[in-house]
Amino acid sequence: MTTLLVRIDFFGIEAASPSEVISFLQTNTGTLELALMSAMVGYLLAVPMMLIITAAAFQGLTTRTLGRDVAVGLVWASLPLRPLWWAAMIVLMPTMLAVSGSSTEPATTAATVVGYQMIYTVLNTATEDIAVNILGGIWFGIVGVVMAKSAGVSRILGLTGVFIGACYVVSSAELFGLSMGTSGEIIPLLAGVLGPFWLGAAGLYAVRKIT
């Protein structure tokens, strides 16, 4: 569903003109509602998956470690931030359309769109950059390092997880004033594509390990 949003250029509305935003929302209302709802559910489902993977990665350790506590804390810290952006877009979209349909003043519609774009940007930073890229990326690194200390499948998953975690964290480098140049497009793409597949593979491995 996130790929669908990219295909219809939903993420381009951040810099679009008010008329373009309204036209886009009117044209893609049904698709957007389904895609946004599905993506939000997917982001939330990552939380139990990450907790199960954490439990499996640290299984067998006789003492409670700081690494496990930090990993679990990162997952729970990301939980309230994960649905913010998606939920806000689902609520604000019909509000935007209602304002544009009832208002005869172009300035009113334009002001509403500007407010929408500001909320879009702020909450996107909270959900994507902080919850997924930074908190999630550090979690990938911690769990990946622990898994890499084992042998076989766990080691391969662990090393891959460390790489994906680094990609996630680097994807938000601009928050700290660091420019990634052309890599600023490639690295987030790698993280976004590989991360969900890794969670699925590691999740299956974890469930088999702890049951």
Side-chain angles (χ1 to χ4, degrees), residues 22-159:
I22 296 299
S23 176
F24 176 82
L25 294 179
Q26 289 172 335
T27 304
N28 300 282
T29 299
T31 302
L32 285 172
E33 289 176 345
L34 176 61
L36 290 169
M37 184 67 71
S38 300
M40 183 177 69
V41 171
Y43 267 49
L44 290 174
L45 286 177
V47 170
M49 289 177 66
M50 293 166 75
L51 292 173
I52 292 172
I53 293 168
T54 302
F58 287 90
Q59 188 181 47
L61 297 180
T62 56
T63 58
R64 188 172 183 176
T65 66
L66 177 62
R68 177 167 49 194
D69 291 342
V70 171
V72 171
L74 288 169
V75 176
W76 286 116
S78 75
L79 178 59
L81 299 175
R82 285 177 172 272
L84 277 181
W85 186 72
W86 307 99
M89 294 305 101
I90 293 169
V91 172
L92 289 174
M93 188 171 63
T95 303
M96 284 276 295
L97 293 176
V99 169
S100 66
S102 62
S103 175
T104 58
E105 295 292 335
T108 302
T109 300
T112 305
V113 171
V114 170
Y116 175 88
Q117 289 171 322
M118 289 176 60
I119 294 172
Y120 176 107
T121 302
V122 171
L123 294 186
N124 184 38
T125 298
T127 295
E128 193 70 24
D129 288 310
I130 298 176
V132 176
N133 291 347
I134 297 178
L135 299 181
I138 296 172
W139 175 87
F140 266 91
I142 293 173
V143 172
V145 167
V146 174
M147 294 176 70
K149 293 180 181 179
S150 302
V153 175
S154 180
R155 179 174 176 78
I156 296 172
L157 283 172
L159 293 173

